[in-house]
Amino acid sequence: MRNNILPTLIVVLACSLAPAQDTKHDAWKHDIEYLKTELPKRHKNLFFSMDKETYEARLDQVSADLASKSDLEIVISLQKVVAGIADDHTNLEYRRIVQSAGVFPLELYWYSDGWHVQTILDKYESVLGSKVTAINGIRIADVVDKLSSMMPKTNDAFIRYRIPKILHLIGLLRHFEIVEGESADVEFIDQDGTTKSLRIEKLDVATLSRGARLVTYTPDSLPLCRRKPGAYFWSELLDQDRILYAQ
C-alpha cells in the first residue's frame, strides 16, 4: 500500500515509491524516512524555528507508534510535525486520507464578529449567514483551537484562512473528540439574534462532488479578498483612499 502523502509539501517534494510488496507499516516508514531526509534538502531554511534534533525525534516517534495507529491518525501526526516547523507554505497533502471518513456539507468564514455559515447544503439553508457558536456543545473558539494544531500558528489571519478548509472534515473532528458519529449538533445565532440548533448530517465526498446543491451567503458588503474567488491575480484601485489593492 502506498500512502503518497508527501508530494504536496509546498516546497515541491517528489513522490517516493516503495516496493509493492511492502507492508502497510513498511510503506509508512519509507514515507517518514523520505520526509526526514528530503524536506531539509529542498527547503531553503527548514530549521529556522524547530531544530533538526526535535524534527527528527518527532518523526521517529510517529514511526515508533505505527502499529497502534490508523492511517488517519498517522497522517494527522505527521502534519502536526510539519506544522511545528512554523512555515505557512510547507504542508502535507493529508486531506485525501482524512476525507475518506466523510464531510459535513458546510463552510464557515470569519467575519469581524466571529464564524458564520458561508456555504451549506440547500436543505440547511435556514442557517445560511448565521453565526456559529458551538459544535456538539463545544465552543467554536475551542473547536478552532483544537484544529489549529494542524497548521503553523504564525498569525491569526493564517488560521482564519485555513480553518474553513478543514473544519468540515469528519475524520479530523473525530480525532479531536468534537464529534463521535456521523452527525453534529451545531448551534447558531441568526441575523435576528435568535439562537437555534441544527443537526448536520455527514456526506461522502463523492456525493458532494457529484453536484450536491450548495447555497452561498452573500453579505451586503463583501471583503475585497472574497470578491473574485475564481481569479488568481487581480487588482483594483480604491478611488476614495487612492490605494491599489492587489491579490
Side-chain angles (χ1 to χ4, degrees):
M1 174 179 178
R2 287 299 304 119
N3 301 305
N4 293 329
I5 58 166
L6 301 181
T8 316
L9 292 159
I10 302 305
V11 181
V12 179
L13 196 56
C15 178
S16 60
L17 297 174
Q21 68 269 24
D22 278 357
T23 65
K24 170 183 168 179
H25 292 155
D26 287 339
W28 275 115
K29 286 181 179 179
H30 190 280
D31 277 351
I32 293 168
E33 190 61 29
Y34 190 81
L35 181 61
K36 183 192 295 185
T37 59
E38 290 300 316
L39 184 55
K41 293 179 185 178
R42 298 168 187 266
H43 195 287
K44 179 68 174 177
N45 181 22
L46 187 66
F47 302 118
F48 71 96
S49 177
M50 178 191 295
D51 61 57
K52 180 180 180 181
E53 291 73 20
T54 300
Y55 174 71
E56 292 185 346
R58 290 181 180 180
L59 289 176
D60 288 342
Q61 187 60 57
V62 177
S63 187
D65 293 340
L66 288 176
S68 63
K69 291 184 180 292
S70 66
D71 284 348
L72 177 66
E73 292 169 326
I74 294 166
V75 77
I76 289 172
S77 296
L78 288 175
Q79 174 56 27
K80 287 180 178 180
V81 174
V82 174
I85 294 166
D87 179 1
D88 293 345
H89 302 287
T90 304
N91 296 279
L92 298 183
E93 179 44 74
Y94 60 89
R95 284 184 293 179
R96 179 179 61 83
I97 292 177
V98 177
Q99 283 176 345
S100 63
V103 299
F104 290 128
L106 84 164
E107 177 187 357
L108 304 189
Y109 187 76
W110 171 265
Y111 291 90
S112 60
D113 64 337
W115 293 96
H116 289 253
V117 179
Q118 185 69 27
T119 302
I120 198 163
L121 196 66
D122 60 349
K123 73 175 185 176
Y124 306 123
E125 188 172 5
S126 64
V127 297
L128 187 65
S130 297
K131 181 179 177 179
V132 176
T133 58
I135 299 176
N136 282 350
I138 301 172
R139 294 187 317 132
I140 190 64
D142 294 331
V143 172
V144 169
D145 186 59
K146 288 173 182 283
L147 294 176
S148 66
S149 66
M150 296 292 292
M151 57 194 72
K153 295 183 179 180
T154 52
N155 58 68
D156 289 342
F158 183 82
I159 299 295
R160 291 168 183 169
Y161 170 73
R162 284 293 182 91
I163 284 295
K165 300 178 184 298
I166 65 172
L167 191 141
H168 64 302
L169 299 174
I170 294 176
L172 282 184
L173 296 175
R174 286 177 181 158
H175 174 80
F176 289 105
E177 299 181 343
I178 298 163
V179 302
E180 293 183 359
E182 299 190 343
S183 65
D185 294 322
V186 185
E187 297 171 30
F188 308 89
I189 298 176
D190 68 18
Q191 296 177 54
D192 296 324
T194 304
T195 300
K196 61 176 66 174
S197 180
L198 186 65
R199 178 160 294 180
I200 308 292
E201 302 289 342
K202 165 189 169 181
L203 274 186
D204 60 78
V205 174
T207 300
L208 194 61
S209 62
R210 280 198 301 264
R213 291 196 61 228
L214 300 173
V215 290
T216 299
Y217 174 57
T218 304
D220 295 335
S221 177
L222 277 175
L224 282 167
C225 63
R226 299 287 292 189
R227 292 185 186 178
K228 296 184 180 181
Y232 286 105
F233 303 102
W234 63 278
S235 62
E236 180 177 326
L237 181 62
L238 307 178
D239 291 332
Q240 182 176 352
D241 300 311
R242 303 303 297 169
I243 293 174
L244 179 64
Y245 175 85
Q247 180 173 310

